[in-house]
Amino acid sequence: MYDSPHSSSLFEVVRKRIMQRIQMGAWKQGDMIPNELELADIFKVSQGTVRRALKELVKEGVLVRHQGKGTYVASYRRDMDSIRERINWFAPDTPGAAPMHARIVSFEILDQISPKIALLFQCAPDEPLYRIRRELSYGESEIVSAFDDIYLKVKDFPHLTEDAFHRTEKVNPYVFYEEAYGYFVTTMEDMAKAVLLNPQQAKRAGVNTPYPAICLQRRSFTIDGHMIELRFLTNVTDTQSMVLRGGRH
């Protein structure tokens, strides 16, 4: 198989065509895609061009390679360890700490939103949004380690209920987006800002005011560039630390 003289950019064409097949549902999250030779035959290019396209998609987190098994469309439930290497998150300072669990504090539909939220979510001030407020704690502890405010567009998540959101995935909403609505988040735009806990938050976190925290503002986008989530995750820093994208702990 021989590529054209413009093969240096041909891998990008192959990359886009693989993305299109995933977007159209030909290959779903968790599916194994054809091997390099089969893809080369499908797209009429060299195996080297396919390999380069796959390498880019793995780097972007769209695909995941499983040694000795093949290449798969990434899935948050199955591939969280691999995906986590690409995102900013918080880890407990104590090794072997119990897993984090979530409690929904409020679930509501907003008919009017602030100019700041409208600007960040790229929508009109009267765009109906769900606002889901949660408290995150390690294990069965009542001490809150993070305060989580999630905004979702009603039109993107029709018929969403508090029970469905909580029952399907108690801690990681990205599993819920993927499995309940078919939204696979590939890009997260994060901004971190130092803040002070308010008195109510400090009481729930078991600390005194004023107490510093880190607020992670996140805008999440699907594989086709559609923004589906605006999130503010305020993390208490006395028992956990922020692990930056690409970091290890």
Side-chain angles (χ1 to χ4, degrees):
M1 184 72 64
Y2 295 95
D3 293 337
S4 72
H6 302 290
S7 58
S8 60
S9 59
L10 188 58
F11 84 93
E12 180 63 23
V13 175
V14 174
R15 172 190 164 280
K16 289 180 179 179
R17 292 179 68 181
I18 293 174
M19 290 270 286
Q20 287 171 352
R21 294 201 175 202
I22 295 172
Q23 291 168 356
M24 294 171 62
W27 300 322
K28 303 182 186 305
Q29 268 64 52
D31 285 354
M32 183 172 70
I33 69 172
N35 61 39
E36 291 180 359
L37 287 175
E38 293 170 330
L39 289 171
D41 184 57
I42 290 172
F43 298 125
K44 307 304 179 188
V45 297
S46 70
Q47 186 178 355
T49 296
V50 168
R51 184 176 297 118
R52 188 174 177 187
L54 295 180
K55 183 178 179 180
E56 288 297 312
L57 289 170
V58 169
K59 183 178 179 180
E60 294 169 15
V62 176
L63 300 177
V64 174
R65 291 187 185 275
H66 290 281
Q67 191 67 31
K69 295 182 179 180
T71 302
Y72 294 76
V73 181
S75 166
Y76 273 91
R77 184 174 294 280
R78 191 196 62 192
D79 302 311
M80 180 53 70
D81 288 343
S82 297
I83 293 173
R84 182 169 280 175
E85 295 179 359
R86 301 177 47 256
I87 64 176
N88 300 315
W89 54 291
F90 281 77
D93 295 333
T94 304
M100 184 169 277
H101 72 273
R103 180 177 72 89
I104 294 180
V105 176
S106 65
F107 182 99
E108 58 186 329
I109 295 179
L110 306 178
D111 294 322
Q112 289 287 328
I113 56 178
S114 70
K116 176 184 177 180
I117 297 299
L119 178 63
L120 290 172
F121 217 157
Q122 303 171 352
C123 63
D126 59 352
E127 170 83 44
L129 298 183
Y130 296 106
R131 180 170 64 189
I132 305 165
R133 290 184 167 174
R134 309 190 304 165
E135 293 179 344
L136 309 183
S137 306
Y138 289 103
E140 298 303 319
S141 173
E142 294 298 322
I143 301 299
V144 176
S145 294
F147 301 90
D148 193 13
D149 282 9
I150 298 174
Y151 293 85
L152 308 171
K153 292 181 180 179
V154 172
K155 66 181 181 182
D156 288 337
F157 294 87
H159 314 300
L160 177 62
T161 65
E162 176 179 345
D163 182 63
F165 187 91
H166 184 68
R167 184 179 66 250
T168 303
E169 186 50 54
K170 294 183 178 181
V171 174
N172 191 331
Y174 304 108
V175 174
F176 175 74
Y177 304 156
E178 175 187 329
E179 297 184 350
Y181 286 90
Y183 296 128
F184 183 75
V185 172
T186 57
T187 305
M188 297 176 180
E189 294 182 355
D190 291 347
M191 293 183 63
K193 183 177 182 179
V195 298
L196 294 176
L197 298 180
N198 63 42
Q200 182 179 3
Q201 290 174 328
K203 182 178 180 180
R204 297 290 299 140
V207 297
N208 297 320
T209 56
Y211 193 89
I214 297 176
C215 180
L216 189 67
Q217 174 191 294
R218 171 170 293 165
R219 305 197 310 166
S220 301
F221 298 82
T222 63
I223 190 173
D224 57 357
H226 178 55
M227 182 179 173
I228 63 161
E229 176 199 59
L230 175 63
R231 188 176 184 185
F232 298 90
L233 192 59
T234 302
N235 295 270
V236 184
T237 57
D238 63 332
T239 59
Q240 57 181 350
S241 301
M242 188 175 184
V243 181
L244 297 177
R245 182 175 288 113
R248 297 291 188 274
H249 76 286

